[in-house]
Amino acid sequence: MSWEVVIGLEVHVQVNSKTKAFCGCSTEFGTEPNTQTCPVCLGMPGQLPVLNMEAAKKTALTGLAINADINLESKFDRKNYFYPDLPKGYQITQFPLPLVENGYLDIPTKDGGEKRIGITRIHMEEDAGKSMHEGLDGVSHIDLNRSGVPLMEIVSEPDMRSADEAIAYLKQLHQLISFLDVSGANMEKGQFRCDANVSVHQPGTPFGTRAELKNLNSFRFIKQAIEYEVIRQIELIEDGGEVVQETRLYDSVKGESRSMRSKEEAHDYRYFPEPDLPPLRMSRDELEAIRAAMPELPGQLRKRFETEYGLSPYDADVLSQTRELASFFEALVAAHPADPKRCANWLANELLGRLKEKGMDISDSPVSSQRLAGLLERIADNTISGKIAKDVLDAMMEADDDADAIIEAKGLKQVSDSGAIDAIITEIMNANPDQVAGYRGGKDKLLGFFVGQVMKASKGKANPGMVNQRLQELLKG
Amino acid sequence: MEIDVKKVAMLARIRLTDDEAGELGPQMNNIIGYVEQLASVNTDGVEPTAHPHDVALPQRIDVVTNTNRRESLQSCAPKIESGLYVVPKVIE
């Protein structure tokens, strides 16, 4: 039997505003527990929420970036459930009339094409606090610093047909969110969290019953969890069973999921309009101001790198992966404008390679764009060869010295003096009379041998172009 | 519309005896019946009401205004440990 997989994703993104959605408490991560709370986010009676407009603007900006409709009037609702990390007993969210509706994202497919994934809606809501259970006997501990932190919930259409497509969508969305600077988007810190709705059916028949997978906090686990769920459902159906609509928790250690049935029982959120918040109205002018502040997005950046700097599509893609990397590249080109392609090569291959070995990110690079540009200048003016420059870059990774100081201290200056190069060549020719005779007898390939010997004798400092040229002349005899 | 009193009580985490449920059920259904009269009003062409008062949404700029008041805010909590609220175990 052939089965088709249907996946829809709900992504919760923490908005990177300084304060919470409905009160003036800080949203800083990793501080002492319960030091960033107030009567509003603790759910004390009689406290009134006041909307943080920064959160609304960032949600609208995200909506514009996915080509969605922005509702100039949207409203807030209460979603009611009991859990100790939700002190009010309800979450403020948007139910029938969210701020953003009907968007999409185009994702790359394996055959090099594109596929459009619909985004049903993005609504604003607030995060819950954090519960801790580990190592505790019969009790749980609650930290409410996160209670009330603004979230956007980004809900996709059930348009994905494989775990790989789901991951491609999530990576694309993650990159977009990072470029828009609307969230820290750090998955380990819970700033970008994913729930997956998964079902299987036979092509041509209605969609199957779906299960919701929760607790997915890395791209790798999301892929594993979806793949596990697909197999579970197919086996269940083929054995004559039926998929039940339920929430399942994926255990990344065991590599399996289990049902959270008790949560199902309480799945009656009794939404009703939030009486404490009048509708959110945004004017056309406000919306246009948000649109005008839209930063350059990855696709636009990639195209500009190709046309403005003549980069290959591959380099342009690598250098537009993150905002930080793209800014580093542009700062590097500004400091070494003569050769943007050299900038791209040295950044994408040499510096990124060295950072990767150290497990570092471009933002922690010990070599700044200015220092790297200083090195590239010395290649451009033939002070050092590209090969020596790699050694200089190694040294720059370990010390704060600039390229010139390292070249000077280690005596790495390239020898471009023809007298000095001729002297080395003569010495090598005298030491290898057989090879000289061979070359003169027509074995052209021996040129490579001589180049190697001369470079070795000069400890790599001889100007390779000049070595080639002088060798060919002197070997003629 | 018939109200399932036991279910409503469970969702609200209110413990009801059978006697109480038996007494409250008809009362709640009375209230629902009263409100249901609204369904007989013709609302064709009427915009849904998002909020009873036509007031502008108060807006806040994104500046931290609250400082750490943990000690006083936690003074009414039944149990605290290392700055964390202690509650009966909630995980499944």
Side-chain angles (χ1 to χ4, degrees):
Chain A
M1 254 187 283
S2 74
W3 292 95
E4 184 173 63
V5 178
V6 176
I7 302 163
L9 297 169
E10 290 168 19
V11 179
H12 286 90
V13 176
Q14 257 185 20
V15 178
N16 60 354
S17 55
K18 292 183 190 70
T19 63
K20 294 185 178 180
F22 300 109
C23 61
C25 289
S26 168
T27 55
E28 199 183 328
F29 182 85
T31 51
E32 281 291 299
N34 293 308
T35 52
Q36 291 159 200
T37 63
C38 73
V40 174
C41 58
L42 291 178
M44 303 252 182
Q47 300 299 315
L48 292 174
V50 186
L51 180 68
N52 180 353
M53 277 310 283
E54 188 70 10
K57 284 179 186 167
K58 290 194 163 182
T59 305
L61 177 67
T62 309
L64 291 171
I66 57 157
N67 308 293
D69 302 328
I70 311 299
N71 288 323
L72 295 177
E73 179 166 320
S74 65
K75 63 185 212 64
F76 292 96
D77 302 273
R78 291 186 180 183
K79 176 179 177 176
N80 301 280
Y81 66 93
F82 273 100
Y83 211 73
D85 59 22
L86 185 78
K88 291 198 300 296
Y90 58 86
Q91 176 193 37
I92 301 179
T93 179
Q94 298 191 295
F95 192 43
L97 197 56
L99 182 55
V100 177
E101 284 181 290
N102 304 322
Y104 63 83
L105 214 53
D106 290 327
I107 62 165
T109 53
K110 281 206 164 145
D111 57 14
E114 277 191 339
K115 176 172 175 175
R116 180 157 293 183
I117 306 296
I119 295 177
T120 320
R121 55 189 277 148
I122 305 178
H123 58 257
M124 301 179 65
E125 55 183 35
E126 55 177 339
D127 212 341
K130 213 170 175 150
S131 313
M132 283 150 278
H133 319 285
E134 235 158 88
L136 299 170
D137 190 21
V139 296
S140 295
H141 283 172
I142 311 290
D143 175 8
L144 295 172
N145 278 349
R146 201 178 65 181
S147 167
V149 168
L151 293 177
M152 351 181 210
E153 182 172 336
I154 305 172
V155 184
S156 88
E157 291 288 310
D159 284 349
M160 287 147 281
R161 293 290 172 273
S162 68
D164 284 333
E165 277 186 13
I167 299 303
Y169 165 81
L170 287 170
K171 285 192 170 166
Q172 188 95 341
L173 183 63
H174 186 266
Q175 188 192 36
L176 181 68
I177 296 290
S178 307
F179 266 81
L180 292 171
D181 192 23
V182 293
S183 170
N186 183 321
M187 294 179 87
E188 281 168 24
K189 290 182 182 169
Q191 293 165 342
F192 188 96
R193 318 194 284 263
C194 175
D195 299 340
N197 286 302
V198 179
S199 68
V200 299
H201 71 139
Q202 281 166 31
T205 65
F207 285 175
T209 306
R210 64 173 198 256
E212 185 180 12
L213 306 174
K214 286 209 179 262
N215 207 22
L216 308 174
N217 60 5
S218 81
F219 292 130
R220 192 160 60 96
F221 293 155
I222 294 166
K223 187 165 151 56
Q224 284 173 7
I226 292 174
E227 283 167 351
Y228 173 88
E229 181 61 19
V230 167
I231 294 170
R232 188 188 72 85
Q233 291 187 11
I234 292 175
E235 283 180 353
L236 190 64
I237 298 169
E238 289 186 345
D239 288 349
E242 244 178 54
V243 176
V244 289
Q245 186 165 346
E246 62 181 351
T247 302
R248 297 183 68 86
L249 194 66
Y250 184 69
D251 183 332
S252 56
V253 180
K254 289 184 189 150
E256 56 187 43
S257 64
R258 62 184 168 81
S259 177
M260 299 172 72
R261 276 182 214 286
S262 57
K263 190 148 186 175
E264 278 323 286
E265 201 187 340
H267 243 324
D268 184 345
Y269 292 129
R270 295 153 295 146
Y271 285 95
F272 65 88
E274 165 59 272
D276 290 342
L277 288 165
L280 166 59
R281 293 197 180 105
M282 218 174 252
S283 69
R284 292 232 166 261
D285 288 349
E286 281 172 304
L287 191 59
E288 288 317 310
I290 294 169
R291 194 194 301 275
M294 171 95 60
E296 209 173 10
L297 299 179
Q300 298 165 322
L301 203 56
R302 196 164 53 230
K303 285 194 188 100
R304 187 164 64 78
F305 282 180
E306 285 179 38
T307 52
E308 196 173 323
Y309 301 124
L311 301 193
S312 68
Y314 177 80
D315 280 345
D317 187 50
V318 170
L319 297 176
S320 60
Q321 282 304 309
T322 66
R323 228 161 22 104
E324 291 76 12
L325 189 53
S327 333
F328 192 103
F329 172 66
E330 298 221 77
L332 183 60
V333 174
H336 182 66
D339 196 342
K341 278 189 187 174
R342 178 182 285 133
C343 293
N345 283 337
W346 278 81
L347 175 53
N349 301 322
E350 303 303 330
L351 183 59
L352 284 188
R354 283 166 175 76
L355 289 172
K356 201 173 172 191
E357 271 171 30
K358 289 175 180 287
M360 288 166 123
D361 210 48
I362 190 70
S363 41
D364 343 294
S365 173
V367 178
S368 68
S369 53
Q370 290 300 321
R371 283 175 73 211
L372 183 55
L375 176 65
L376 301 188
E377 288 295 325
R378 295 293 85 86
I379 303 173
D381 66 13
N382 279 320
T383 305
I384 52 171
S385 67
K387 190 165 178 295
I388 294 283
K390 292 180 186 177
D391 298 337
V392 177
L393 182 57
D394 284 336
M396 290 167 78
M397 295 289 290
E398 306 302 330
D400 292 333
D401 299 327
D402 60 23
D404 285 339
I406 293 168
I407 293 166
E408 196 62 54
K410 298 197 170 182
L412 296 173
K413 259 191 194 144
Q414 182 159 272
V415 178
S416 299
D417 166 19
S418 62
I421 289 177
D422 284 2
I424 301 173
I425 292 176
T426 311
E427 205 175 295
I428 299 290
M429 282 171 66
N430 289 340
N432 300 282
D434 293 350
Q435 278 81 357
V436 173
Y439 181 83
R440 287 180 178 159
K443 288 187 181 168
D444 289 352
K445 280 188 181 162
L446 279 169
L447 182 65
F449 163 78
F450 285 105
V451 172
Q453 291 295 311
V454 173
M455 292 308 291
K456 198 174 158 192
S458 75
K459 298 198 176 70
K461 288 189 289 184
N463 179 327
M466 282 186 73
V467 168
N468 248 300
Q469 189 201 337
R470 293 302 302 150
L471 261 174
Q472 293 191 36
E473 281 174 28
L474 292 172
L475 279 169
K476 267 189 228 158
Chain B
M1 188 170 148
E2 191 75 14
I3 288 219
D4 179 345
V5 184
K6 282 283 173 88
K7 189 183 176 196
V8 172
M10 187 275 291
L11 290 169
R13 300 297 189 274
I14 294 171
R15 205 173 280 132
L16 285 187
T17 63
D18 286 345
D19 283 353
E20 286 166 326
E23 193 180 333
L24 284 168
Q27 289 182 18
M28 290 172 76
N29 281 316
N30 260 339
I31 295 169
I32 292 292
Y34 175 68
V35 175
E36 267 178 351
Q37 291 179 67
L38 287 171
S40 64
V41 179
N42 184 351
T43 54
D44 289 351
V46 179
E47 285 272 309
T49 307
H51 197 269
H53 306 294
D54 189 23
V55 288
L57 176 75
Q59 303 183 351
R60 200 166 46 76
I61 54 166
D62 191 27
V63 174
V64 177
T65 48
N66 293 335
T67 50
N68 175 17
R69 289 193 282 151
R70 183 168 80 179
E71 207 173 320
S72 69
L73 289 168
Q74 287 190 331
S75 61
C76 57
K79 201 173 176 197
I80 296 296
E81 211 177 293
S82 317
L84 294 154
Y85 296 94
V86 180
V87 300
K89 191 170 181 133
V90 285
I91 202 169
E92 299 165 55

